[in-house]
Amino acid sequence: MAATTFDIGMVGLGVMGRNLLLNMADHGYGVAGLDTDASKVQALKSEGAGKKVEATVDVKAFVGLLKSPKAIILLVPAGKAVDAVIGQLTPLLNVGDLIIDAGNSQFKDTDRRARELDAKQLHFFGMGVSGGEAGARHGPSLMPGGPREAYEHVRPILEAVAAKVQGKPCVTYLGPGACGHYVKMVHNGIEYGLMQILAETYDLLHRGLDMDNFELAKIFEHWNQGELGSFLIEITAKIFRKLDSKTGKHLIDMVLDVARQKGTGKWTSQEAMDLQVPLLTVDAAVGLRDMSAYEQERATASKLLHGAHGAFGGDAKAFVQHLAHACYVATVVTYAQGFVMMRKASQTYGYNLNLEEVARIWRGGCIIRAALLDDIRAAFQAQPDLPNLLLDPKISQEIMKRQRELRSVVRAAIDLGIPAAGLMNALAYFDAYRTARLPSNLTQAQRDFFGAHTYERIDEKGTFHSRWDADFD
Ligand code: 6PG
């Protein structure tokens, strides 16, 4: 292939990089790949046969293949590998060239890299990519952030490869700095929350109602047709049907109950605490993944610590219906927390995020795509600065109609001894948010009592300190 004729480069030819690159080639773009692993380079060459695809292990040859201004996407593991690749590429690039980090990088790293590259007059983008292997190949949701002028250069390619919903691509320019990676981090936090809610739902149906995997599959298939319709519900139904070729049993029953994590959910919770945004469902999800890792202690404790447990004694059919409504409420509350966080981040970091657009590009391609995102999008369309989705007139009506069922599900979980921290925290968030006077007055009084931290009064401006153990000040 002639040099300098390729539209875009990809560093990292693992599952995500290779599939995204082939997706670009399908849309008629000339794409060049770089990887240190010769077998991956070879695999791409064979898979890309007949398309304008070239691949190499040589970084100089790779950069030489690209048209100027050059655009290079990185899909390498987050962390040191990103810095190492940038270090190799920068001496070979010219003013105005663009590097796009499409991995799950921590947004603070993206900010630092953007500053470092800006000093060299190179453009840098942090771009969230969601949808896994199939998404990368056939249409992911893309969340790019960085300098706007550089976006225009790659916009046609990104719009071509992104998932389409009602003909519109699930990609948009989100804003400056690290905001693309920030939005992807929150996406993953929501992903953790929703997965936790579904794990609890499974536990309640399976252990609580003694349902088998075929019954579970049917319930999730049914839910996927209605208001709960979403990618996560759809794959959950498929998981319950899958048989294990080794044992002939259901594969789900052969999977160890330890949930691993690469860290994006934890980052979301940590960052939410820094911003002082309550993110109760995501916090619970991260905590329960951590709890799952104590499998040996849990096995011991299960024999020692007795508490509530037993079969569900009520109307199973009604309970399944309640569970559907409980999932709906908890799901909305989880999205609501994520959107509040993005709103606060937008103000804090100057991202100027358009939350309607975020909801729009999450409707296709990504892991948290869901029918519900149409309502979320409509809510931000009607009121772009909506402080909380729970205040949207339509969404609040839907929540109020179903919150009673979330309560009854949480009560059942308590009676059955089934840990349902995601559902419980979603309910606690809803109840705390709608409480005009929280018991935080007591917290303040205690702080002032033991540490003279002062408190504010409801009837007068200013800060006050009292000697709480004296009768009067
Ligand atoms: C996506 C996923 C993707 C990845 C997660 C898994 O949007 O396509 O979120 O980014 O599957 O990083 O994260 P954990 O390993 O932390 O569960």
Side-chain angles (χ1 to χ4, degrees):
M1 289 263 185
T4 67
T5 61
F6 289 81
D7 300 294
I8 193 155
M10 175 77 66
V11 182
L13 302 179
V15 173
M16 291 298 286
R18 203 165 65 245
N19 281 296
L20 192 58
L21 189 145
L22 290 168
N23 183 351
M24 290 173 177
D26 283 348
H27 286 87
Y29 291 100
V31 283
L34 173 73
D35 202 292
T36 48
D37 182 342
S39 66
K40 287 188 182 152
V41 166
Q42 205 40 55
L44 175 67
K45 281 185 176 174
S46 357
E47 283 178 61
K51 300 184 178 117
K52 191 169 179 186
V53 173
E54 184 56 286
T56 172
V57 291
D58 182 323
V59 65
K60 273 195 193 140
F62 165 73
V63 173
L65 288 168
L66 304 172
K67 283 180 193 166
S68 282
K70 299 178 196 301
I72 299 174
I73 300 182
L74 316 185
L75 259 164
V76 297
K80 287 188 184 127
V82 177
D83 289 310
V85 172
I86 291 175
Q88 283 185 313
L89 289 173
T90 44
L92 305 170
L93 298 180
N94 294 313
V95 171
D97 288 346
L98 166 68
I99 295 177
I100 302 174
D101 174 13
N104 274 331
S105 289
Q106 159 59 278
F107 79 98
K108 287 175 187 161
D109 286 337
T110 303
D111 269 332
R112 169 181 57 77
R113 289 169 187 142
R115 276 195 307 275
E116 288 166 1
L117 290 174
D118 190 51
K120 297 181 172 143
Q121 292 180 284
L122 295 172
H123 295 307
F124 186 63
F125 258 78
M127 180 169 79
V129 178
S130 181
E133 183 181 349
R137 186 70 183 86
H138 304 292
S141 172
L142 300 173
M143 295 155 242
R148 181 179 264 289
E149 65 274 23
Y151 181 70
E152 292 309 318
H153 174 46
V154 284
R155 187 160 67 101
I157 304 183
L158 300 183
E159 289 186 351
V161 298
K164 309 285 180 303
V165 173
Q166 290 158 356
K168 289 197 79 183
C170 292
V171 59
T172 191
Y173 172 74
L174 286 173
C179 89
H181 274 152
Y182 198 98
V183 169
K184 178 62 175 29
M185 176 185 72
V186 177
H187 167 285
N188 280 32
I190 295 172
E191 176 184 298
Y192 272 51
L194 301 183
M195 288 167 74
Q196 179 60 29
I197 290 164
L198 294 183
E200 293 167 10
T201 303
Y202 160 53
D203 210 6
L204 285 160
L205 291 169
H206 180 53
R207 269 203 298 161
L209 264 60
D210 201 24
M211 282 189 175
D212 67 26
N213 289 305
F214 288 121
E215 290 173 292
L216 291 170
K218 275 193 208 138
I219 289 174
F220 279 81
E221 279 157 7
H222 177 63
W223 285 354
N224 195 39
Q225 303 308 311
E227 63 187 19
L228 288 175
S230 64
F231 174 73
L232 284 170
I233 295 268
E234 181 191 329
I235 64 165
T236 305
K238 289 182 179 161
I239 287 168
F240 291 131
R241 291 212 179 273
K242 176 78 181 167
L243 298 179
D244 178 23
S245 53
K246 287 190 186 151
T247 60
K249 296 180 179 166
H250 279 89
L251 185 53
I252 183 73
D253 295 331
M254 303 308 295
V255 176
L256 185 71
D257 59 333
V258 175
R260 309 287 178 195
Q261 48 186 314
K262 295 207 190 87
T264 43
K266 181 184 75 178
W267 294 345
T268 317
S269 278
Q270 287 172 327
E271 164 66 7
M273 285 186 193
D274 285 344
L275 287 185
Q276 297 187 297
V277 173
L279 210 67
L280 302 188
T281 324
V282 183
D283 297 343
V286 176
L288 265 291
R289 284 202 194 193
D290 293 340
M291 176 65 91
S292 77
Y294 288 78
E295 84 263 40
Q296 281 173 9
E297 270 181 60
R298 286 190 287 111
T300 308
S302 72
K303 296 190 184 82
L304 293 174
L305 301 177
H306 304 293
H309 82 83
F312 179 77
D315 176 346
K317 214 170 159 195
F319 185 71
V320 173
Q321 184 56 33
H322 289 177
L323 206 41
H325 286 176
C327 277
Y328 177 88
V329 174
T331 298
V332 173
V333 169
T334 305
Y335 279 104
Q337 293 167 38
F339 276 90
V340 171
M341 179 169 175
M342 287 188 285
R343 184 171 187 265
K344 182 81 182 279
S346 187
Q347 291 158 353
T348 308
Y349 304 123
Y351 290 154
N352 200 18
L353 278 176
N354 178 334
L355 295 179
E356 183 203 338
E357 278 290 275
V358 173
R360 183 185 71 73
I361 65 169
W362 282 356
R363 291 183 313 156
C366 70
I367 305 297
I368 63 168
R369 60 186 186 261
L372 178 64
L373 278 158
D374 282 330
D375 287 345
I376 296 179
R377 182 188 177 195
F380 286 111
Q381 195 167 36
Q383 197 183 329
D385 62 348
L386 185 67
N388 192 311
L389 278 172
L390 301 181
L391 297 178
D392 173 72
K394 176 166 189 280
I395 290 176
S396 62
Q397 284 304 318
E398 300 299 335
I399 292 296
M400 284 188 289
K401 268 193 258 166
R402 293 165 181 77
Q403 52 86 33
R404 193 188 291 266
E405 281 88 353
L406 176 55
R407 288 180 204 288
S408 78
V409 164
V410 164
R411 261 195 303 272
I414 292 167
D415 290 342
L416 293 165
I418 289 180
L423 292 164
M424 288 176 183
N425 273 307
L427 180 59
Y429 183 96
F430 173 73
D431 282 338
Y433 190 60
R434 66 186 191 88
T435 297
R437 183 164 166 83
L438 284 169
S440 311
N441 50 332
L442 176 60
T443 309
Q444 281 298 78
Q446 290 164 333
R447 290 177 68 245
D448 191 49
F449 190 123
F450 61 65
H453 295 298
T454 74
Y455 59 93
E456 290 140 287
R457 296 181 61 94
I458 59 170
D459 56 353
E460 203 180 330
K461 288 259 174 248
T463 49
F464 300 86
H465 169 59
S466 297
R467 286 176 47 219
W468 291 88
D469 51 357
D471 282 347
F472 295 100
D473 279 338

